[in-house]
Amino acid sequence: FLFYHLNIYNKSWKVIMFRILIKYILQILITFVVLVNISYAAGGIALGATRLIYSQDKKQASIPIINSTGDKRFLINAWVEDSSAKTIKSVIVTPPMLVSEPKAENSLRIVNTDQSLVQDRETLYYLNVQAIPSVSKKELEEKNNVLQLAILSRIKVMMRPTKLAIQIDEAPNLLTVSRLNNKLIMRNPTPYFMTIINLSVDGVEQEGLMLAPFSEMALNKTGSTILFQTINDYGAFTQKTKIDIQ
C-alpha cells in the first residue's frame, strides 16, 4: 500500500516538474521574441533592383544597397551561387563584406572571371546579400537577452551573352502552349529565362513558374485559353499574353 502511494507520488511529481519546465521554456522563448531587435522593421536594407542583368561583354555589373534606417548599422556579406546553392567562385562580389551606415547607399560590384559560359543562351546565378544589424553597447547593458536576426535577400543574376538571336522584348510573344496527352505543355524557344506570373487556364489561377531557355514544362491544369504575364529586366510586369489552344 505504501509502495503504491509512493509510486503515485513519484508520477505526480514528475508531471508537476514537467509542467514547470515547459512553462519556463515558454517564458524564455517569449522573452527572446519580445527582445528581438526589430528597430529596423520600419526600414532596413534593400537592394536597388529585383534582378541583375550581367552583359557578358562588360567587365562588371553593379547593384546599390540602401540602408533606410535612421540609426542602425548593418554588416553586409554578399556572394553568388547557382540554383543548387553552390557558391560560384568565378563570379566575384566586391567588396564581399562591408558596413552599411544609417541613411547611406553602398554599391556591390559583380565581376565575372569565367570566359567559358555558353554563348547561345543565358546562364542563371543568384546574388545573396546577408545583412546583420548591429547591437549597441547600451542595448546589451539594458537587455540580458538580445536575439539578432540576419536578413537574407536573394535575387536572380542573368549572365547574358551579347549576340543572341532575338531581343528580350520579343521573348514573351514567342512562348507557346500546346496540348499533349491531355496535358498542356508550355514551351520557351528563346535563349532567355522567362518568369511566368499571373498565369491562368480558362480563368483558373495557376502557380507561377520559370522556364529555362529552350525548355518546356507541363501545366497542372488543362484547358483551352491561357493568360499570363512575364517579368522584364526591370522587375516590372509585361503586358498580358493570351493563347488559345485548339
Side-chain angles (χ1 to χ4, degrees):
F1 180 81
L2 179 60
F3 176 81
Y4 173 80
H5 279 280
L6 285 174
N7 190 37
I8 294 296
Y9 174 81
N10 286 336
K11 289 182 179 178
S12 301
W13 179 82
K14 289 178 181 179
V15 170
I16 293 172
M17 291 303 295
F18 179 77
R19 289 177 178 174
I20 293 174
L21 179 61
I22 293 297
K23 183 178 180 180
Y24 180 73
I25 292 174
L26 288 174
Q27 287 177 341
I28 293 177
L29 290 175
I30 292 172
T31 301
F32 268 104
V33 171
V34 171
L35 294 179
V36 167
N37 192 331
I38 56 172
S39 61
Y40 53 85
I45 292 293
L47 300 181
T50 59
R51 58 193 56 226
L52 181 64
I53 309 301
Y54 191 119
S55 181
Q56 292 185 30
D57 64 334
K58 305 296 184 183
K59 293 183 178 179
Q60 64 182 38
S62 63
I63 186 169
I65 298 179
I66 303 158
N67 183 349
S68 59
T69 65
D71 60 353
K72 182 64 64 175
R73 303 170 76 217
F74 288 84
L75 176 64
I76 305 297
N77 181 30
W79 68 96
V80 173
E81 63 186 23
D82 62 15
S83 58
S84 64
K86 178 183 177 182
T87 301
I88 305 299
K89 296 181 179 179
S90 60
V91 181
I92 303 167
V93 182
T94 59
M97 190 171 291
L98 61 90
V99 175
S100 177
E101 300 291 343
K103 297 293 183 181
E105 181 175 317
N106 304 95
S107 183
L108 291 177
R109 292 187 300 120
I110 292 84
V111 180
N112 175 43
T113 63
D114 185 1
Q115 303 302 316
S116 63
L117 292 177
V118 294
Q119 294 300 305
D120 67 334
R121 69 193 68 191
E122 289 182 327
T123 299
L124 175 63
Y125 293 140
Y126 293 90
L127 172 65
N128 295 274
V129 178
Q130 186 180 58
I132 305 174
S134 63
V135 182
S136 66
K137 184 178 180 182
K138 182 179 179 181
E139 288 175 312
L140 290 174
E141 291 175 348
E142 291 178 351
K143 302 173 183 177
N144 293 326
N145 299 312
V146 177
L147 178 63
Q148 292 296 97
L149 299 179
I151 306 165
L152 180 63
S153 300
R154 192 170 190 252
I155 66 170
K156 296 173 182 175
V157 179
M158 310 294 191
M159 311 296 290
R160 181 173 295 171
T162 57
K163 297 180 180 179
L164 295 177
I166 63 171
Q167 299 297 314
I168 181 63
D169 294 339
E170 303 173 50
N173 293 326
L174 296 177
L175 299 178
T176 64
V177 180
S178 60
R179 197 186 312 276
L180 180 64
N181 297 329
N182 205 33
K183 286 187 177 181
L184 294 182
I185 308 297
M186 196 168 204
R187 293 183 175 87
N188 176 16
T190 79
Y192 302 98
F193 282 88
M194 302 301 296
T195 301
I196 312 299
I197 58 168
N198 297 329
L199 172 65
S200 66
V201 179
D202 290 346
V204 179
E205 186 176 346
Q206 306 294 306
E207 289 187 7
L209 53 94
M210 183 175 68
L211 287 171
F214 310 119
S215 71
E216 62 183 39
M217 186 178 296
L219 303 182
N220 293 326
K221 179 177 172 57
T222 188
S224 58
T225 301
I226 308 296
L227 281 174
F228 65 89
Q229 292 175 281
T230 63
I231 299 179
N232 65 21
D233 286 352
Y234 308 99
F237 297 170
T238 61
Q239 292 184 348
K240 289 186 177 180
T241 299
K242 179 181 178 181
I243 299 178
D244 291 320
I245 304 160
Q246 301 302 324

